[in-house]
Amino acid sequence: MFNKIFLKKIISLGVCSSTLLMLSTGSVFARDNEVRFELTDNPGSWFDTGKSIAGNRSIAVATPGVRVKFSGNSNTVHTRTSVIYPTGAANMPFNTEPRKGGDDVTLTTPGLYVFTCSIHPYMFGAVIVDDPKTAGLDLGSSISLINGITIPSSSDLATRLLRTFFIATNPANWQDYASNKPWHVTYPNVDVRVDIGVVNLPDVLNTRYGNDITLSGLKKPKTPAVGEIWVATQFETTRNKEKPGTVSAIDGSSWQVTRKVALPSIDMNNPHNMWTDKNQRVIYVTQWFDSKLTVYDRKTGKLIRNVSVGESPAHVMTLTDSDRLHVTNNGDTRTDSVMELAPLATQVLRRVDIGRGNAHAHWMSHDGKTMVTPNVFSGDSTQYNFHTDAVEAILSVSSPFGHPLAIGMMPDASKYYVANLLDSTMTVVNMDTHKVTKRINLIKNYDPIAGAITGPVGALPIQTPVSPDGTNMVTANMLSGTITIINTNTDKVVAMLPCDPGCHGVQYGAKQGGGYYAYVSSKFSNRLLIVDPDPNNDGDPSDAKIAGTVALFAAGTTQKDDAIKGNPGMGGQGILPIPVVYNGWVQNLPAAWSNQLTPAQRNPID
C-alpha cells in the first residue's frame, strides 16, 4: 500500500521514467518507514543509506513518523546533528555527543531534514519527510538552521544549501580539472513543494546557479614560489588502501605535482592538516577520521612514525621556542583535549587543559607563549599561556551553535580572529585585554531571500590565516564559494575572489623576490588557487587577485607510494607551504631555506 500511494503521487507529477523505475523498485522511498544511515569514512557517502538516488547515497524519502537510525562504520567518533529542519518540527533540533555507536530520531513533521557531524561539518545526510496527500515532495514552507536562522524554503539561501548538499554528497558532482568536460551537477528529477508552491527541483537549481559550466584552463603564476606546497588531498583514493586520502607536493618553481604520499602501510585515513619541524625535514599530518598523528620524511615520503593522540585530531602546530607539537583532538569532549608531543613526535608529553573540548584549527604566537583555540561545541575561544601553564581567558565568540572553527593571529600576537562557520562571522579579539573588539558580518552584503550580492560575501568561513607581515587575512568560504580578504589595519572586508565548491584551506608561503602567496584549496575540486593578496606591495590588499591555478592531480612524473584509484586530486583541505615563513618560525629556518628569502621575508614585521 505504501509504494502504491507514492507511485500514484509521482505519476501525477510527471516524473521522468528513470526516476519512476527507481521508485517502483522501492530504492528511493524508505521501506517500513525506516531510514538507516551508516556513518563512514568514505568521501561523499559519509551518511550512507546503501541506496542511490541520482548517484547520491545520502538522501532518503519517507512519510511522517519515519524512524531514522544512525550506526557507525568509521574509525572515529561523530555527532548526529540536525543542521537543517522544517521550522517548528517535533524533536528538533537533534544533536548528540560524539560517539561511534548508534542513535535514532523519529521525524513526524513533513519537510527537509539535513543531518551533519559537528566535528566534520561537510558530512551530510538528508531525509525528506513527505505527506503523500500533497503534490510534490515536501521541503516545508520554511526551514530552520541549528544556529537559529529561519528562512523560506524557496529562498536563495535555502536552495544554495540544498545545492551544496548535492555537490558534497556525490563525487560525480565535483569539479574535475583533469577532464575536458563541462562541470555538470546531477539532481534528482523530482518536483518539490516549497512555500511558493510546487516547483521542479533541477529547474530551480539550474536556473539560479547554472549547469554544464565550462571550466577555465589551469594557468601557472608568472612569478614562482619559494620551496614547495603540500596539500591534503583528503578524498583521493589509492589501490592498496581501504581509507581515503593522500598528501600532495607541488614544486613552487614548476608548479607541478611532484609527489603523492598515501602511506598504504598504515592505511592513512583522511589526512587533514599539516605542519613541519624547525628544519623543514618532516611532515606532521593529522588523520581527522582516525586517532593518529603521522610523521613522514618530507624528501622521500617514507613513514617515520604513527602516534596515537586522540579522537579526530584536526590541526597540528609547533611552538617556536621548543619545537614541541600541539594537536587538537576535535572529537574529544575532555577539557584537556590538546595533546603536547616532543619534537619529531617521539613521545606524547601531556594533555593541555584549555578548559573546553572539541578544539579545531588553533594558532600559536611568534614567541612560543600563547596558543588560541576555537572551541567548536561551546561557541567560545581559549587563550592559553605556556609560560604559566594556565588559561588566560575563555571568551564567547559566536552564537551557541555558531561553530567557531579556525583562528588567524597577528604576527605580533596583538589580536586574533575567529572564523565562525555557521554564523558566517569573524570575531576579533584583543589578546592583551581579552576582549572582543569587533564582529565582522561576512554576509551583510548578501540578501538570503532574493540572493542579491552587493559587495564582498563569505558564507560558511573556514580557514583564515593572517599574512606573515600582518597586513591582510585571506578566508576560504564554503557556501558562497568565495575568498574574502580583510585589511587587518581596519578589520574590514576589502575584496572578494571566486573559489571552487567546498572552498576550505588557506595558508601563506613566500613568493620569489618578495611578498607572499596565499594558497587556497577546495574539497570538491582538484585544483589549487594561488592568490596574490598584495600585488603592488603597498600594504593595501584591496587589489588582491588570483595569480594562478594549478593541478592537484598527479602528472606522469609524479612520484607515488600507491597507485591512484579514484577522486584524483580531490578533497583539498589543509595546506603547508615549505618553508614556513610566519613570524617566529621563519627566524629559525636553516640557512639553506633562509637564504632563498628576502630580508623582509626573513623578518616580516621589522
Side-chain angles (χ1 to χ4, degrees), residues 35 37 102 172 185 248 255 292 296 311 320 329 341 346 395 463 493 502 508 510 531 540 603:
V35 173
F37 285 117
V185 181
S248 304
W255 300 108
K292 305 291 195 305
Y296 64 86
E311 294 294 350
T320 58
N329 288 333
L341 291 85
T346 56
L395 298 175
Q463 290 188 19
V493 181
Y508 288 85
V531 174
D540 179 2
N603 291 283

Side-chain angles (χ1 to χ4, degrees), residues 151-215:
I151 48 174
S153 54
S154 66
S155 66
D156 182 78
L157 178 54
T159 54
R160 278 184 187 273
L161 290 166
L162 193 57
R163 180 175 184 261
T164 296
F165 169 85
F166 285 113
I167 293 173
T169 52
N170 184 358
N173 287 341
W174 299 349
Q175 278 188 356
D176 186 4
Y177 286 87
S179 169
N180 292 322
K181 297 179 181 178
W183 179 39
H184 178 79
V185 181
T186 298
Y187 309 108
N189 188 14
V190 295
D191 289 352
V192 294
R193 187 176 191 84
V194 294
D195 59 295
I196 59 173
V198 177
V199 296
N200 181 262
L201 179 65
D203 284 352
V204 171
L205 297 179
N206 290 336
T207 298
R208 290 187 174 182
Y209 312 113
N211 213 333
D212 296 308
I213 299 168
T214 300
L215 300 178

Side-chain angles (χ1 to χ4, degrees), residues 100-115:
K100 293 182 180 180
D103 297 278
D104 64 83
V105 62
T106 298
L107 308 179
T108 58
T109 306
L112 172 67
Y113 298 78
V114 178
F115 298 93

Side-chain angles (χ1 to χ4, degrees), residues 380-577:
D380 52 29
S381 173
T382 298
Q383 184 170 324
Y384 185 88
N385 187 323
F386 284 105
H387 293 179
T388 61
D389 278 333
V391 171
E392 290 187 336
I394 298 178
L395 298 175
S396 175
V397 293
S398 76
S399 67
F401 287 97
H403 215 96
L405 195 64
I407 298 285
M409 185 187 292
M410 290 292 286
D412 61 355
S414 58
K415 60 183 175 181
Y416 67 89
Y417 301 81
V418 186
N420 302 304
L421 180 76
L422 295 184
D423 282 352
S424 293
T425 61
M426 198 75 67
T427 303
V428 188
V429 178
N430 184 299
M431 295 183 65
D432 294 323
T433 63
H434 311 307
K435 291 183 178 180
V436 172
T437 59
K438 191 172 185 178
R439 298 185 190 273
I440 304 171
N441 181 3
L442 296 175
I443 55 174
K444 71 174 183 178
N445 297 318
Y446 167 62
D447 181 344
I449 308 301
I453 294 175
T454 56
V457 168
L460 301 190
I462 305 185
Q463 290 188 19
T464 182
V466 175
S467 63
D469 60 6
T471 62
N472 62 84
M473 179 170 64
V474 170
T475 306
N477 303 285
M478 176 177 166
L479 181 63
S480 55
T482 58
I483 301 163
T484 46
I485 292 90
I486 287 177
N487 184 324
T488 54
N489 183 47
T490 62
D491 287 338
K492 292 182 178 180
V493 181
V494 296
M496 176 178 72
L497 301 171
C499 194
D500 290 344
C503 193
H504 187 109
V506 185
Q507 208 63 272
Y508 288 85
K511 183 170 59 173
Q512 284 192 19
Y516 301 95
Y517 283 135
Y519 302 101
V520 182
S521 62
S522 301
K523 294 184 287 291
F524 312 124
S525 167
N526 54 7
R527 70 171 180 171
L528 182 71
L529 304 179
I530 298 95
V531 174
D532 191 332
D534 188 10
N536 59 4
N537 296 312
D538 66 351
D540 179 2
S542 61
D543 58 346
K545 66 177 184 179
I546 294 177
T549 58
V550 297
L552 289 174
F553 46 88
T557 56
T558 302
Q559 299 181 63
K560 301 181 286 289
D561 59 2
D562 201 5
I564 306 301
K565 182 173 66 175
N567 304 330
M570 296 290 184
Q573 292 179 56
I575 300 175
L576 175 66

